[in-house]
Every structure is written in structure tokens, then in C-alpha cells.
Amino acid sequence: MAATSRDVAREAGVSQATVSRVLTAGTPVSEKTRARVMDAMARIGYVPNRAARTMKTGRTGTIGVVVADLGNPFYPQLLEALSRSLDASDHRMTVWVSDGGKNQAALDAIREGTVDGVIFTTVTEHSHELARALEQRSPLVLVNRTVEGADCDQVSSANRQGAGLIANYLVAHGRTRIAFIGGTPLASTTAQRLGGFSDRLARLGHPLPDELVAHGAYTHESGCRTAAQLLHLNPGINALVCSNDLLAFAALDTAKAAGIRVPEDLWVIGYDDIQQSSWRSLNLTTVRQDVAQLAAEATRLLLARLDDPDRPAIRVELEPTLVVRASSAFAPA
Amino acid sequence: MAATSRDVAREAGVSQATVSRVLTAGTPVSEKTRARVMDAMARIGYVPNRAARTMKTGRTGTIGVVVADLGNPFYPQLLEALSRSLDASDHRMTVWVSDGGKNQAALDAIREGTVDGVIFTTVTEHSHELARALEQRSPLVLVNRTVEGADCDQVSSANRQGAGLIANYLVAHGRTRIAFIGGTPLASTTAQRLGGFSDRLARLGHPLPDELVAHGAYTHESGCRTAAQLLHLNPGINALVCSNDLLAFAALDTAKAAGIRVPEDLWVIGYDDIQQSSWRSLNLTTVRQDVAQLAAEATRLLLARLDDPDRPAIRVELEPTLVVRASSAFAPA
């Protein structure tokens, strides 16, 4: 049987009410009594019941994170960064790995009081749960994937601007026979990167034809299939821009399989700059978004929201940078 | 304000005790009453308080998973598989991303009653928390990394046997000037794979000299440094065996940087067969362990343990297979 606060009181020779005061943040207790109670807890191996403590403080100290798509290394890297930033602010992290349907579980956890708030990393536009949660004013932050017009705190790379950097770079180097591979258009990452890219290309006098834009799943397998189709139907393409690094790795593999030389015949460019992109075997030109900064901002916004639920929603966009590597011939940006 | 069970009782026109009976698993309630209460809950948006329900059933329906090292894609892949197998058995998963110190948080969660049991994926031998948890007979399972002699359920690849397959393969093809790169020797994966490998090599008449074994961290960066040193000090090496795929990718990059041709001059072999290993850019010969099966066994063992805490501990070893790819010249195994 686990020790109870009654056991602690007996062991410390104090009342149960005193034990409870020691366990409640912000309640005045003499240092001597606190030390006596803490010692007693340690001796008998007492772990304060979190649910009981939550009832007193109104906070669990735990933040939920919802993530899908762990096959894309970007998400584990973001998760690790969130774990660090929540740790640094003395919060615990609970993760839901979403295979669909877990958004609701995370939102229920707020209502059930098992987490204080939730950070979503992979929402898509058409989320009914999100709409309902926003109506109910649940404390939540969207990071990486955002929803246009949603009334909540959001953090992402300035995706349109980052994609614009790619357009500038390609046009400056005369690589203008370009195709684009996206993930689901319901994800803001694909929508904004494609939008920013094609707008900038059009402004530079090289509009991107519809038939040179293809969408698939955010997986290596889907990326290979999509890249193979595009390259087969349009053998003249000399640059393939992908809405994330995972798809760009697939494009590199597809080019290799087809005997197309990268970067001589084809430039391949991604977005994210995940750790793998700097590996010599992959060596991908990409747009860098800093996961540590994404995580720090998301944490900061959520904790500020918990302190002040009525604060207006904030939209943070982090400055992207183009990182040039061997998949585009080390040409200067 | 969230709806309470009193609101549900009023809405359904029943007593609060009846609502409580409906929410308690295994309590007899007429189908008609159950439907009436469930309808009332749906109408007013009531979410049963999990803590309250836990007090009645003694189970939370939530399993904790502790994972470190998300930079190695093996772990997110295992996490995704665990999420699926726990889902399939109708359990929720809570994840602790361990940066050290989180093992204790997970074990506390068992004692606090917020999870029913914990699956550890990254323990090392010298874990005091684990020893204490085993004394306290906490329901837990070790998966992937195991601890020799620990009195708990454990699941892993048959690492010694898998590493033996690599030794057989190299010797059969005359690649006997071999070096080995491991992660921390405190991880069972490195200890067992190195042990199985060097034992088999010795039996085949090609003992592995100590100076051709190097250990580092389980990261790409560390793998590159270790591989560079080994190759620099021992230019005659014609096979580099790594205790996981992540380190083998680093070995591939290091060979490339040094102008050493793979597989002509050097064979590179990993362990795990993570998704990336089949990518054409990496194309790694490796020993396959099936993450879906690891996850399914870990889930099965933990749920069986919850049902029968006194059952003797079981050690499951999954059969490994050698997968031959371009990093060893597509030579048949």
C-alpha cells in the first residue's frame, strides 16, 4: 500500500492539515515544520497525490503535446526541443502521438484537469475539435502547423518568406524550369510554402504552371512516387522544390534511381533543415527553421496564456534562412 | 464551468449514485438507464473525471512510455508502434522524453496512480530508479534496451544472435579486417551486439582486437568522429560494423569524406533496419528488428502483468534477420 498523508502526519508528529499546507504552493509554513514534514515524506517514501494537489493549486504543472507523423524526423526533433523548454520552465510534458483522433483526447485532458494546456504541432485546417476547443477557450498553442484566422496563439516559421528565398535563389542562378512537391494542402506548411514560392516566382517573371505542382503524403514513399511522375512527365525540369526535407530526400533518391545527376542536371531543395539534411550522404540545400526557438516560443506563449487567459492571441513568425549545400552545387545564395 | 456528475443526474432525471454506477466498469445497470445517462452526458458535454473514475476502477487505462534519444529515428519509430499497439488494446499512452531523470517521474506516476504501468525503451545498466522500482514491484516492461538479471518482463531483438549473423556474413565473404563502433557500453544493445559479434568472430578464427573496437555517443556527430579515428589509425580496415544504423550512417559519411569507396574498399553494416536504411541515398546493410513486433510484445507483457502481478518475469527475444543492401555490395548473405 502506498503511504498516505495521514502516515506522513503520524511520522512527522504534526496534523494532516499541516502536511497539506506544506504541499500547497504559496501557503505559509515555518521552515522548521516544512523540513520536518519533508523529512518524514522521504523516510516513508510518500509521493503527494497529484490529483489532490491539483485540486488545491488549480494547476497540474503538466503540458500536453500532440504530435503526428513521427516518421518525419522534424517532429521528434521538435518534441525533444519542447521537452527541453518545458523542463527549463519546470513543467512536465505529456505527449499524445496522434494517429487521428488524439486531438480530442488532448482537449479532453484539459477539461478533465490532467494537463493545464496543450501544444499542437500538426493541426490541419479542417479540425472540428480545434474549433470547439477555441469556442471553449481552452489554453492551447499551435506550433509549426497553424490555422489562418484561428483565435489562439500560434508560432511557425515565416513560411511564405522562406519559400520566397528559394524562388529568389533559383531565379538568380537561372534554374527556372521548376517543379514543386507538396504534402497535404490542408497543412499550413504546404499551403504557405507553395503560396509564397509561386507568388514570388510570378513576381520575378517565372510563373509556376499548375501541372508542375504535385501533392502527396508527407512520407518518403509518397515523395518518391510524386517525384518520379513529375520527372517522367517533364524531363526538362532543372529544379525540384519540396515542401519539407523528408520529401526532398525522396526527390534525391528518385533522381539517383533515374540516373539524373544532382546538382548538375537537377537542383533539389527542401524546407526545415532537420539534422539529417547536413549529413554528407544527403547534403540538402534547404530553408532552416530553428526547432529550439519554435519550442521556446510555444512554451512561452502557453505559459503566458495560463497566467492571463484574456490576453489577445499572438502570432509569432520566426525568420527563416536559406542554407545552401551540395544538392544545389554550393552556389552562393 | 465544466459540467459535473450532478448536472448529468439532473439532466437524466436519475440520482448521482446511478450516474456513478454507469461510470464504474463492471457495475450492473439496466441498458435503458445506461442509455439515458450516456445521452444526458452527450447533451451537456460532460467528461467523466478521470481521477474519480480511477479511484473506483483502480485502473487509469493509461500506460507510460519513457524514451530518450529521439535524435535516433529508431525511437520515434518504436514510439509510433507503441502508440498503435496500445491504441489497439484500448489504452492511452503518456510519453516521457527522458533527458536523464525522467525514469523517476514515470515511476512516480505509477505510485501517484496517473498511469497503470510503464514501458522503458532506453534504460542503462546503472539505474538506481529501476532497482528501486523493481523492489517496489512496480508494473514495468523493458523494451529494446534490457538489463541482465533484472526481475521484470523484457523484450528485445536477440542481439547476440543478430550480431553473429554479421560475423558469419563478413567471414564468408573474406571481409575480415574489421572494426566495430559502439554506443555507450552501459546500453545492453551495444554490450550484447559487440559481445555476440566478437564471440562469433573468435569462433570463426578471426578474433576482434581490442584496438579495433571504439565506443562513443549514439549520435551522428560522435559516430563520424569515432569512424574517422578508426579509419585513420587502421587504414587496412575493410569492414566497419556499427552497433546501430544511426552510427552506420555516420560511418558512410566519414568514408565518403575520406574518399574511401563503399562497398569497394569498405563494407559498412548497421543494426536496427530503421526506415531510413532502405533509402537509396543510404542503402545500408543491417540487421532487421521489427519495431511493430517489439511494441506488440511489450504491450502484451505489460497488460498481462497488470492482470497478474505475481506471474514470473518473462524475457522475450525476437529473431533478427540480416538485410543486405548496397553498403556491402549486394553480396548474398
Side-chain angles (χ1 to χ4, degrees), chain B residues 5 18-19 49 84 96 155 171 185 238 242 252 257 268 290 300 321 325:
Chain B
S5 66
T18 302
V19 174
N49 183 291
R84 285 213 191 90
W96 282 272
V155 195
V171 170
N238 62 15
C242 303
L252 289 176
V268 174
D290 186 329
R300 186 182 67 77
T321 50
R325 297 203 184 92

Side-chain angles (χ1 to χ4, degrees), chain A residues 310-322:
Chain A
D310 298 322
R311 184 168 65 71
I314 292 178
R315 177 84 182 80
V316 175
E317 289 209 325
L318 302 179
E319 184 85 6
T321 49
L322 182 68

Side-chain angles (χ1 to χ4, degrees), chain A:
Chain A
M1 230 2 235
T4 65
S5 65
R6 187 178 309 215
D7 302 328
V8 176
R10 194 179 306 126
E11 175 78 15
V14 300
S15 71
Q16 248 184 291
T18 303
V19 173
S20 156
R21 280 213 306 286
V22 169
L23 288 173
T24 306
T27 313
V29 184
S30 80
E31 259 323 295
K32 203 176 129 199
T33 306
R34 181 182 307 279
R36 197 155 135 191
V37 170
M38 299 302 276
D39 281 354
M41 285 182 194
R43 270 198 305 279
I44 67 175
Y46 172 77
V47 180
N49 182 290
R50 192 159 292 272
R53 207 167 39 182
T54 300
M55 278 157 61
K56 288 179 198 129
T57 62
R59 288 261 189 114
T60 64
T62 300
I63 299 297
V65 173
V66 183
V67 64
D69 230 353
L70 285 175
N72 176 359
F74 174 78
Y75 289 105
Q77 287 166 24
L78 179 58
L79 206 54
E80 207 158 46
L82 282 167
S83 169
R84 285 211 193 93
S85 67
L86 287 167
D87 251 12
S89 66
D90 223 16
H91 279 73
R92 308 196 311 172
M93 175 173 89
T94 286
V95 179
W96 283 271
V97 176
S98 177
D99 225 13
K102 298 292 179 52
N103 292 349
Q104 190 53 56
L107 295 170
D108 287 348
I110 298 178
R111 299 181 56 200
E112 292 174 2
T114 51
V115 300
D116 296 327
V118 176
I119 297 173
F120 288 95
T121 67
T122 38
V123 290
T124 48
E125 294 280 354
H126 290 231
S127 161
H128 299 296
E129 300 98 339
L130 179 68
R132 213 164 37 227
L134 290 177
E135 274 166 33
Q136 292 166 358
R137 316 199 31 191
S138 300
L140 53 89
V141 170
L142 309 186
V143 61
N144 180 49
R145 289 200 199 159
T146 56
V147 173
E148 202 69 48
D151 186 24
C152 62
D153 299 315
Q154 308 197 44
V155 196
S156 70
S157 171
N159 288 308
R160 294 182 54 87
Q161 182 188 338
L165 295 176
I166 303 173
N168 290 350
Y169 173 59
L170 291 176
V171 170
H173 292 87
R175 290 268 168 168
T176 52
R177 285 170 295 146
I178 302 167
F180 185 95
I181 300 180
T184 169
L186 294 179
S188 63
T189 42
T190 281
Q192 292 167 3
R193 291 166 192 175
L194 174 56
F197 185 63
S198 78
D199 286 358
R200 183 70 60 89
L201 274 186
R203 254 203 286 150
L204 295 170
H206 297 277
L208 185 65
D210 282 349
E211 68 270 22
L212 290 179
V213 175
H215 291 281
Y218 271 134
T219 64
H220 188 266
E221 203 186 2
S222 168
C224 284
R225 215 166 29 236
T226 311
Q229 276 167 3
L230 275 174
L231 292 169
H232 178 72
L233 295 173
N234 310 279
I237 289 170
N238 62 14
L240 207 43
V241 175
C242 304
S243 70
N244 70 17
D245 289 357
L246 186 68
L247 293 174
F249 298 154
L252 290 175
D253 274 8
T254 306
K256 200 170 224 175
I260 297 170
R261 294 168 308 161
V262 174
E264 294 83 347
D265 307 326
L266 183 73
W267 284 16
V268 173
I269 302 185
Y271 202 112
D272 286 343
D273 196 26
I274 59 178
Q275 288 162 14
Q276 285 76 359
S277 302
S278 65
W279 293 1
R280 188 173 282 261
S281 309
L282 299 164
N283 223 346
L284 183 70
T285 294
T286 185
V287 175
R288 179 168 167 72
Q289 60 170 332
D290 186 329
V291 287
Q293 209 186 339
L294 279 177
E297 285 296 318
T299 299
R300 187 182 65 79
L301 287 175
L302 186 55
L303 299 186
R305 169 69 50 203
L306 292 173
D307 287 339
D308 179 4
D310 298 322
R311 184 168 65 71
I314 292 178
R315 177 84 182 80
V316 175
E317 289 209 325
L318 302 179
E319 184 85 6
T321 49
L322 182 68
V323 180
V324 175
R325 297 200 184 93
S327 71
S328 64
F330 287 116

Side-chain angles (χ1 to χ4, degrees), chain B residues 52-268:
Chain B
R53 205 166 42 182
T54 300
M55 277 158 62
K56 289 180 195 128
T57 62
R59 287 260 190 117
T60 63
T62 300
I63 298 298
V65 173
V66 182
V67 64
D69 230 352
L70 285 175
N72 177 359
F74 174 78
Y75 290 104
Q77 287 165 26
L78 180 58
L79 206 54
E80 207 158 45
L82 283 167
S83 170
R84 285 213 191 90
S85 67
L86 287 166
D87 250 12
S89 68
D90 223 15
H91 279 72
R92 309 197 308 172
M93 174 173 89
T94 286
V95 179
W96 282 272
V97 176
S98 177
D99 225 15
K102 298 291 180 50
N103 292 349
Q104 191 53 56
L107 295 169
D108 287 347
I110 299 178
R111 300 181 56 200
E112 292 173 3
T114 51
V115 301
D116 297 328
V118 175
I119 298 173
F120 288 94
T121 67
T122 38
V123 289
T124 48
E125 294 281 353
H126 290 230
S127 161
H128 299 297
E129 300 99 338
L130 180 67
R132 216 165 34 226
L134 290 175
E135 274 168 31
Q136 292 166 358
R137 315 197 36 189
S138 301
L140 53 90
V141 171
L142 309 186
V143 61
N144 181 50
R145 289 199 200 159
T146 56
V147 173
E148 202 69 49
D151 184 25
C152 63
D153 299 316
Q154 308 197 44
V155 195
S156 71
S157 170
N159 288 310
R160 292 182 57 87
Q161 183 189 338
L165 295 176
I166 302 172
N168 291 348
Y169 173 59
L170 291 176
V171 170
H173 291 88
R175 290 267 168 167
T176 51
R177 284 170 298 146
I178 303 168
F180 185 95
I181 300 181
T184 167
L186 293 179
S188 64
T189 43
T190 281
Q192 292 169 1
R193 290 167 193 175
L194 174 57
F197 185 64
S198 78
D199 286 358
R200 183 70 60 88
L201 275 185
R203 254 203 286 149
L204 295 170
H206 298 276
L208 184 63
D210 282 348
E211 67 272 22
L212 290 179
V213 175
H215 290 282
Y218 271 135
T219 65
H220 189 264
E221 201 186 4
S222 167
C224 285
R225 212 164 33 232
T226 312
Q229 276 167 3
L230 276 173
L231 291 169
H232 177 73
L233 295 173
N234 310 280
I237 290 170
N238 62 15
L240 206 42
V241 176
C242 303
S243 70
N244 72 15
D245 288 358
L246 186 68
L247 292 175
F249 298 154
L252 289 176
D253 274 7
T254 305
K256 200 170 226 177
I260 297 169
R261 293 167 310 160
V262 174
E264 294 83 347
D265 306 327
L266 182 73
W267 285 15
V268 174

